[in-house]
């Protein structure tokens, strides 16, 4: 036996020596090094402390990924986000990412930012009526029973809760209207895109009916900023249709009022949290609407931008791309508007190659979009990818959104992997974190880092992604450099915390 083993070994050794050319290993290393250098973060240089923190981070990352590599049936990121969401907090990598300063959120929709648990708390406000119809709920604040007809009858939420017998069960049921997330794993895998968007739109209308009441919107906005701030986000660009708010006496406010409310609420928040940089609005209209409506929305954007230049960043079209109008329907008006109003267009949020949604990418680039929302289909278009690189257009990537809204099932196959490898100008965002009960940004960073990016991708990539979110924001140079100084200060603290915190350190580092 022994001789046989020895002979085999010797044989192997000679084969190895004979068949691998001398410089093969060097060339192999050079190719891999080139890829590392090209990838997002590849050119970041870490100082000594960062290097140590990186070793800790990578030890945990390798541990967590190794376990799955050998047992792929346990690999959470190839499953639906809802199936492992509640376990995320247990991950050491996640805990590190959660405490990491993340710069800005640049792609998020105003009504779907807040966690549903807080939305349920807002239903404790006085004068709230509810009416259940089929699968839907309508909510309205009113002194008397709302006059608008409703299939079932209107009742005060406080009465319904009180007579329900179990307020906790009542609240849990109410919360289901505010989120797509189901902890008990109702089958969300492989729901087709139209079905899931239908459910998503229902969630949107339920929330909208709650937060259209001015006093609740003010609280909503404050709680939202608090959650983003606590997730280490220091600046936000939100997409908003600026719908009308109402008062108890029936007064209705115009669009300008909501813009002002966002501004006032943010100013107040900054007074209490001076290192929060602020908020800008990207005004939106639903892409299924008529050309006249879009023209009207662009006019509003132009007017508000003139009045509040620091608040209004630009314009976008929203709603499911496959079912809405293609950007090509709006070329005349958008190309006329683009010199005055910056465009931040959703484009290519589709898995359908060669369709009008897919071709939205061409128009977004030609219309001079400053960033592109999703750009999910981009890897299938090499010429468009070159154009995007040449024009330095950033991609706002929302991985969890793409899973929940049924574009991708196993995130290892998400095109972000390619964008990261190519070193494209990428920012990570969360689209509608409230609608799937996610943390404002940390869950998206975690899933991208563990499930999409290379196993070798490390702290340099995370840092570059945070830096990108500042670089590609619409802030002017002054506010950008203020955001950078806030970021750098928090980053140093974060690094020290990772190194010194015994909790993270319970790991052997060379
Ligand atoms: C992870 O697995 C690789 C081989 O697949 C091994 O080289 C490495 O030591 C493992 N790391 C840890 C931390 O277990
Ligand atoms: C993956 O999910 C399982 C159970 O669903 C959980 O026990 C485990 O902690 C999760 N791992 C990670 C890294 O989230
Ligand atoms: C709940 O209902 C009971 C009787 O059904 C009533 O006595 C009580 O005041 C109600 N509480 C609230 C908070 O409405
Ligand atoms: C915002 O604040 C200004 C200045 O205090 C005030 O005049 C205005 O009414 C406020 N608007 C809203 C919508 O709260
Ligand atoms: C939009 O503004 C243009 C120029 O200011 C004006 O001619 C047009 O009537 C406006 N359209 C709408 C729908 O308000
Ligand atoms: Zn979006």
């Amino acid at each position: 036996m022994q001789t046989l083993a020895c002979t085999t070994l010797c044989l192997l050794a000679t084969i190895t020596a004979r068949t691998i050319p001398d410089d093969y290993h060097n060339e192999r290393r050079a190719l891999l090094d080139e890829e590392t250098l090209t990838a997002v973060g590849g050119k970041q240089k870490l100082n000594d402390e960062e290097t140590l923190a990186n070793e800790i981070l990578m030890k945990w990352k390798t541990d967590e990924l190794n376990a799955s590599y050998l047992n792929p049936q346990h690999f959470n990121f190839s499953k639906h986000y809802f199936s492992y969401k509640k376990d995320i907090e247990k991950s050491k990598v996640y805990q590190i990412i959660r405490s990491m300063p993340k710069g800005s959120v640049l792609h998020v929709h105003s009504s779907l930012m807040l966690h549903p648990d807080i939305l349920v708390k807002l239903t404790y406000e006085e004068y709230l009526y509810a009416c259940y119809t089929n699968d839907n709920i309508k909510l309205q604040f009113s002194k008397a029973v709302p006059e608008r007809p409703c299939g079932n009858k209107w009742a005060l939420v406080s009465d319904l809760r009180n007579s329900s017998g179990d307020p906790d069960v009542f609240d849990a049921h109410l919360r289901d209207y505010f989120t797509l997330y189901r902890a008990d794993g109702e089958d969300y895998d492989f729901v087709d895109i139209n079905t899931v968007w239908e459910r998503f739109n229902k969630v949107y209308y339920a929330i909208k009916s709650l937060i259209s009441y001015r006093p609740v919107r003010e609280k909503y906005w404050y709680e939202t900023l608090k959650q983003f701030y606590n997730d280490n986000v220091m600046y936000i660009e939100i997409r908003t249709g600026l719908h009308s708010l109402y008062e108890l006496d029936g007064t209705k406010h115009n669009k300008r009022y909501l813009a002002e409310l966002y501004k006032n609420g943010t100013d107040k928040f900054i007074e209490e949290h001076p290192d929060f940089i602020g908020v800008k609005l990207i005004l939106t209209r639903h892409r299924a609407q008529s050309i006249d409506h879009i023209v009207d929305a662009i006019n509003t954007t132009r007017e508000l931008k003139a009045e509040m230049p620091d608040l209004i960043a630009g314009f976008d079209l929203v709603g499911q791309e496959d079912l809405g109008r293609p950007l090509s329907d709006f070329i005349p008006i958008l190309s006329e508007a683009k010199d005055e109003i910056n465009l931040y267009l959703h484009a290519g949020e589709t898995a359908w190659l060669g369709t009008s949604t897919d071709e939205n990418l061409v128009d977004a680039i030609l219309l001079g979009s400053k960033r592109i929302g999703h750009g999910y289909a981009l890897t299938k278009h090499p010429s468009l990818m070159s154009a995007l690189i040449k024009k330095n257009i950033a991609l706002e990537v929302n991985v969890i959104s793409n899973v929940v809204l049924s574009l991708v099932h196993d995130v290892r196959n998400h095109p972000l992997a390619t964008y990261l490898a190519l070193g494209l100008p990428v920012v990570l965002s969360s689209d509608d974190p409230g609608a799937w009960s996610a943390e404002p940004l940390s869950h998206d960073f975690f899933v991208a880092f563990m499930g999409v990016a290379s196993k070798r991708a490390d702290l340099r990539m995370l840092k570059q992604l945070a830096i990108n979110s500042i670089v590609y924001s619409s802030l002017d140079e002054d506010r950008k450099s203020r955001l950078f100084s806030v970021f750098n200060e928090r980053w140093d603290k974060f690094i020290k915390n990772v190194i010194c915190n015994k909790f993270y350190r319970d790991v052997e580092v060379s």
Side-chain angles (χ1 to χ4, degrees):
M1 274 310 277
Q2 230 177 5
T3 355
L4 185 63
C6 181
T7 324
T8 317
L9 265 182
C10 298
L11 197 63
L12 267 177
T14 33
I15 289 175
T16 312
R18 204 183 292 145
T19 52
I20 300 184
D22 285 349
D23 48 3
Y24 187 90
H25 287 293
N26 292 338
E27 284 177 23
R28 186 174 192 279
R29 175 94 329 259
L31 278 176
L32 289 174
D33 285 351
E34 192 184 316
E35 290 213 316
T36 307
L37 203 63
T38 305
V40 168
K43 295 179 190 70
Q44 283 289 330
K45 297 264 184 289
L46 300 182
N47 65 26
D48 290 350
E49 289 191 329
E50 287 173 318
T51 303
L52 190 53
N54 192 32
E55 281 178 35
I56 295 169
L57 171 73
M58 292 308 282
K59 167 69 174 72
W60 289 120
K61 177 174 178 175
T62 315
D63 263 9
E64 290 175 24
L65 287 182
N66 267 18
S68 301
Y69 186 54
L70 298 173
N71 299 288
Q73 73 275 24
H74 297 321
F75 187 59
N76 291 339
F77 307 103
S78 60
K79 300 176 190 160
H80 196 281
Y81 167 69
F82 293 169
S83 72
Y84 63 86
K85 189 182 99 66
K86 64 178 187 316
D87 295 311
I88 290 180
E89 304 246 318
K90 287 190 281 186
S91 155
K92 290 284 197 298
V93 173
Y94 176 71
Q95 291 159 15
I96 294 174
I97 285 177
R98 173 112 171 94
S99 69
M100 184 187 95
K102 288 170 276 285
S104 326
V105 161
L106 299 181
H107 186 123
V108 73
H109 297 268
S110 63
S111 302
L112 298 162
M113 296 167 74
L114 186 59
H115 197 283
D117 289 351
I118 315 276
L119 292 172
V120 169
K121 285 196 183 136
L122 294 175
T123 66
Y124 280 77
E125 296 289 316
E126 246 186 317
Y127 305 118
L128 178 58
Y129 282 84
C131 164
Y132 295 92
T133 59
N134 300 326
D135 290 354
N136 295 328
I137 191 170
K138 283 184 184 164
L139 296 167
Q140 189 174 334
F141 287 87
S142 177
K143 276 223 156 122
V145 180
E147 279 165 18
R148 119 185 118 108
C150 180
N152 209 318
K153 64 181 197 321
W154 290 98
L156 276 170
V157 169
S158 54
D159 287 347
L160 291 171
R161 183 178 281 120
N162 191 13
S163 59
S164 71
D166 189 339
D168 291 341
V169 172
F170 178 84
D171 283 352
H173 181 63
L174 198 54
R175 189 181 50 217
D176 283 350
Y177 288 102
F178 298 145
T179 180
L180 291 169
Y181 174 59
R182 295 292 180 269
D184 55 16
E186 185 189 317
D187 187 18
Y188 262 89
D189 254 332
F190 304 103
V191 175
D192 72 88
I193 187 167
N194 289 11
T195 306
V196 77
W197 269 86
E198 235 172 72
R199 296 181 192 176
F200 174 74
N201 287 333
K202 275 185 195 168
V203 165
Y204 167 70
Y205 284 112
I207 294 173
K208 186 178 167 197
S209 74
L210 174 67
I211 65 178
S212 292
Y213 176 48
R214 191 267 312 160
V216 165
R217 177 62 69 123
E218 284 176 354
K219 290 184 179 158
Y220 170 90
W221 188 233
Y222 188 84
E223 293 298 326
T224 298
L225 292 176
K226 204 161 85 185
Q227 281 198 342
F228 276 66
Y229 181 83
N230 289 339
D231 203 30
N232 242 314
V233 171
M234 293 299 126
Y235 168 72
I236 318 171
E237 291 185 8
I238 61 165
R239 278 152 164 103
T240 170
L242 290 181
H243 57 250
S244 152
L245 301 182
Y246 66 91
E247 303 281 348
L248 218 43
D249 65 9
T251 309
K252 287 205 161 162
H253 298 291
N254 59 16
K255 287 175 180 292
R256 185 182 186 289
Y257 185 92
L258 181 50
E260 245 183 50
L261 182 149
Y262 283 135
K263 183 178 182 316
N264 289 3
T266 308
D267 288 349
K268 177 167 166 261
F269 189 84
I270 292 173
E271 269 174 38
E272 297 164 16
H273 307 85
D275 57 353
F276 186 72
I277 299 298
V279 159
K280 283 194 191 224
L281 311 182
I282 295 169
L283 269 45
T284 62
R285 211 48 180 290
H286 200 287
R287 62 187 331 117
Q289 292 192 344
S290 70
I291 308 254
D292 284 349
H293 279 115
I294 309 297
V295 170
D296 178 55
I298 290 175
N299 278 7
T300 305
T301 308
R302 197 179 275 130
E303 275 171 34
L304 288 180
K305 189 169 182 283
E307 281 181 62
M308 302 183 249
D310 285 342
L311 184 66
I312 309 295
F315 183 74
D316 186 16
L317 292 161
V318 297
Q320 188 185 351
E321 258 182 273
D322 291 337
L323 302 186
R325 290 167 184 273
L327 286 177
S328 58
D329 278 14
F330 306 113
I331 293 170
I333 47 178
L334 292 178
S335 53
E336 191 203 314
K338 77 178 172 33
D339 297 329
E340 259 180 284
I341 297 170
N342 287 338
L343 301 175
Y344 298 90
L345 299 168
H346 278 74
E349 185 185 2
T350 188
W352 291 107
L353 181 58
T355 58
S356 58
T357 311
D358 186 50
E359 288 184 4
N360 279 344
L361 282 169
V362 186
D363 298 300
I365 291 171
L366 291 178
L367 288 166
S369 198
K370 298 291 172 197
R371 300 189 301 260
I372 287 180
H374 295 284
Y376 182 87
L378 189 70
T379 45
K380 297 167 184 170
H381 299 279
S383 308
L384 300 184
M385 207 167 345
S386 311
L388 179 126
I389 294 167
K390 210 159 96 197
K391 296 180 184 217
N392 198 22
I393 301 170
L395 288 166
E396 304 162 346
V397 178
N398 310 280
V399 176
I400 295 176
S401 167
N402 298 152
V403 170
V404 175
L405 296 178
S406 265
L407 281 186
V408 62
H409 298 293
D410 180 336
V411 298
R412 288 172 296 178
N413 297 322
H414 193 288
L416 171 64
T418 306
Y419 308 154
L420 292 172
L422 285 167
L424 297 193
V426 170
V427 298
L428 294 188
S429 199
S430 51
D431 213 8
D432 311 286
W436 28 90
S437 309
E439 289 298 316
L441 187 57
S442 289
H443 282 184
D444 278 273
F445 258 79
F446 177 63
V447 173
F449 185 59
M450 295 292 282
V452 185
S454 164
K455 187 179 177 193
R456 297 171 203 273
D458 61 12
L459 188 64
R460 293 173 299 166
M461 177 176 283
L462 293 176
K463 188 176 186 186
Q464 187 66 53
L465 286 167
I467 290 172
N468 284 357
S469 78
I470 303 174
V471 170
Y472 293 98
S473 74
S474 69
L475 288 171
D476 60 36
E477 291 310 316
D478 269 5
R479 290 221 284 167
K480 236 179 230 183
S481 66
R482 223 179 87 57
L483 178 50
F484 264 119
S485 66
V486 166
F487 172 76
N488 289 332
E489 197 175 303
R490 283 181 166 250
W491 183 265
D492 291 343
K493 271 195 205 138
F494 156 70
I495 293 296
K496 286 194 171 57
N497 185 46
V498 171
I499 296 172
C500 303
N501 195 323
K502 195 177 161 318
F503 182 62
Y504 300 133
R505 279 226 71 167
D506 116 274
V507 53
E508 300 249 327
V509 184
S510 55

